[in-house]
Amino acid sequence: MRKTCLIIGFVWPEPKSSAAGVRMMQLIETFQKDNYQITFASPCAKSENAFNLEAIGVGQATIELNNSSFDGFVKELNPHIVLFDRFMMEEQFGWRVAKHCPDALRILDTEDLHCLRKGRQQAYKKGVSFDTNYLFNDISKREIASIYRCDLSLIISEVEMEILQTRFKVDNTLLMYLPFMVEPLTEKEILKLPRFEERTHFITIGNFLHAPNYTAVLYLKETIWPLIKLQLPEAIIDIYGAYTSQKVTQLHNEKQGFLIKGFAEDVNEVMQHAKVCLAPIQFGAGLKGKLLDAMINGTPSVTTSVGAEGMYGNLKVNGFIEDTPKEFVNKAVHLYTNRADWNDKELNGYEIINSRFNKAEFQQKLLLKINAVFLRLNKHRLNNFTGQLLMHHTMQSTKFMSKWIEEKNKK
């Protein structure tokens, strides 16, 4: 009998719009590699940017929140694995999966630690340093509970692994480090990429529905870009991203060389023609897709400590990490004008991609981990009493709240 996997998505995958969409497609590819029959279900409406999953043999289903129709759907499907895309989907559907498919392996893909991002955002808004007071927020209580209720949680950053283990005391057996998974770059592919003298403009890219991206662009506009223009009067920055709202488009200013380009159909094409990627990220979590894309396409970057988190390990950076506006600007101008340093940083990026994000290596690790947990699932769950406790109380409280909402909706 063929193995089956149900993925419950917070949104439908949009790999051209967001790093989260890229991540989801990488997970789907990994399960398909192990011959899983995959069904992707989501309560979210599809946008025009949604990937056509049926084109790659993945079934699609629309499900409803707070509706017992899901119970019949999941019972009939009877999946071996259920993957929850972010903790909010586990909160909504996890208790139903546990009730109707108790033998299914429940996996949570956090995408990034929402509680970490939320805490940093709160501290940023208040203009204070981020500390434990901001980490232990209401989102933390929900997200960590979700991690405990699942058999395995996929964590995209080594920094977030450490936070979960040391600050929240989550047992290592419930966690797996799984970064972005990309094909290693060959020498032939690298030689095809445009050289320093063939590139122009600065670049940044990111989905504008994501608060850290919009805040970074605003910071670029108000603080970083005017200082760069003082040193490089002819400089231009191209700003790409899906879901460009009016508050974003009004930042467009041709005289200042600050160009809002909107949705990029092909991130590789626009990144390859840019000379330097700027990512002055002020708060956030997880890994930054724009920095990964920059390295893949040979484009050195300047980012902040938050942007760099979890990206480079102990390897030399493909650019610079600076948190003060003055140094950020100086390094950006230096990279843009210094060919020798630009070439060195470009090479650093290729080494990072090939040694830290090797697709085949992490695909194998994930599949081996899943099989290992499957083989001892009962013992694995017995060792996670906190998860049993939280599932017990969650099933009671969430179940009756959901039933109440369902009855209310009927009326």
Side-chain angles (χ1 to χ4, degrees), residues 47 107 119 136 147 174 182 236 245 295 331 349 377 386:
S47 82
I107 301 176
F136 293 168
I147 287 172
L174 299 176
V182 297
I236 291 172
S245 63
M295 290 188 286
K331 293 300 197 305
L377 188 56
T386 302

Side-chain angles (χ1 to χ4, degrees), residues 42-61:
S42 178
C44 182
K46 275 185 194 174
S47 82
E48 60 183 16
N49 296 332
F51 186 86
N52 181 10
L53 293 170
E54 289 181 345
I56 59 169
V58 174
Q60 299 180 122

Side-chain angles (χ1 to χ4, degrees), residues 332-386:
V333 171
H334 176 78
L335 267 182
Y336 198 84
T337 56
N338 189 300
R339 177 177 177 173
D341 260 12
W342 189 95
N343 287 334
D344 287 342
K345 302 300 184 184
E346 175 200 17
L347 295 177
N348 292 347
Y350 301 143
E351 184 181 357
I352 293 163
I353 289 294
N354 288 353
S355 60
R356 284 183 57 77
F357 302 103
N358 187 296
K359 180 165 76 171
E361 177 186 330
F362 282 106
Q363 283 182 332
Q364 183 181 28
K365 284 182 177 179
L366 175 58
L367 295 173
L368 287 173
K369 179 71 172 180
I370 287 171
N371 290 334
V373 176
F374 251 134
L375 287 173
R376 53 190 297 275
L377 188 56
N378 288 336
K379 187 176 181 181
H380 182 80
R381 288 176 175 172
L382 285 173
N383 288 338
N384 177 22
F385 181 74
T386 302

Side-chain angles (χ1 to χ4, degrees), residues 31-250:
F31 285 117
Q32 286 187 321
K33 183 179 179 181
D34 204 34
N35 203 34
Y36 276 87
Q37 178 62 51
I38 302 168
T39 300
F40 191 99
S42 178
C44 182
K46 275 185 194 174
S47 82
E48 60 183 16
N49 296 332
F51 186 86
N52 181 10
L53 293 170
E54 289 181 345
I56 59 169
V58 174
Q60 299 180 122
T62 299
I63 52 179
E64 289 187 53
L65 300 172
N66 303 306
N67 194 307
S68 56
S69 61
F70 178 83
D71 301 349
F73 164 74
V74 79
K75 270 177 91 171
E76 184 178 354
L77 191 64
N78 194 24
H80 295 86
I81 289 176
V82 178
L83 175 74
F84 302 102
D85 170 30
R86 289 165 260 205
F87 78 90
M88 299 83 86
M89 291 298 95
E90 190 280 331
E91 279 185 333
Q92 285 287 337
F93 298 100
W95 67 273
R96 294 183 185 273
V97 171
K99 179 180 179 181
H100 297 291
C101 302
D103 296 329
L105 185 71
R106 299 188 299 272
I107 301 176
L108 172 66
D109 183 38
T110 58
E111 292 288 355
D112 59 32
L113 274 186
H114 290 62
C115 60
L116 179 62
R117 171 156 45 87
K118 184 69 173 179
R120 283 177 171 162
Q121 185 174 2
Q122 289 173 338
Y124 173 78
K125 283 183 175 179
K126 291 185 178 181
V128 298
S129 297
F130 173 75
D131 59 21
T132 304
N133 290 319
Y134 290 96
L135 178 61
F136 293 168
N137 53 55
D138 287 345
I139 296 293
S140 304
K141 298 177 181 72
R142 295 169 57 193
E143 191 164 26
I144 302 306
S146 182
I147 287 172
Y148 271 112
R149 287 191 298 262
C150 289
D151 300 308
L152 183 65
S153 290
L154 309 179
I155 312 300
I156 203 166
S157 160
E158 294 151 320
V159 173
E160 293 181 3
M161 284 285 289
E162 185 181 357
I163 288 171
L164 287 168
Q165 291 167 331
T166 60
R167 307 296 282 277
F168 292 106
K169 310 300 181 186
V170 178
D171 193 285
N172 187 48
T173 58
L174 299 176
L175 308 172
M176 180 182 176
Y177 168 58
L178 191 76
F180 290 125
M181 299 177 281
V182 297
E183 289 283 1
L185 294 162
T186 65
E187 189 175 347
K188 185 178 179 181
E189 289 170 328
I190 291 169
L191 289 173
K192 285 183 180 178
L193 293 171
R195 309 307 309 145
F196 175 86
E197 58 277 3
E198 298 173 275
R199 297 173 180 242
T200 57
H201 299 193
F202 290 91
I203 189 174
T204 194
I205 189 167
N207 184 331
F208 289 112
L209 292 178
H210 194 54
N213 288 334
Y214 172 70
T215 303
V217 170
L218 200 60
Y219 181 67
L220 265 174
K221 170 79 172 181
E222 295 174 349
T223 305
I224 299 297
W225 193 244
L227 297 175
I228 287 178
K229 289 292 279 187
L230 287 175
Q231 297 189 49
L232 299 173
E234 302 302 315
I236 291 172
I237 183 166
D238 296 319
I239 296 158
Y240 292 92
Y243 302 104
T244 312
S245 63
Q246 186 180 351
K247 70 177 183 179
V248 178
T249 55
Q250 68 185 10

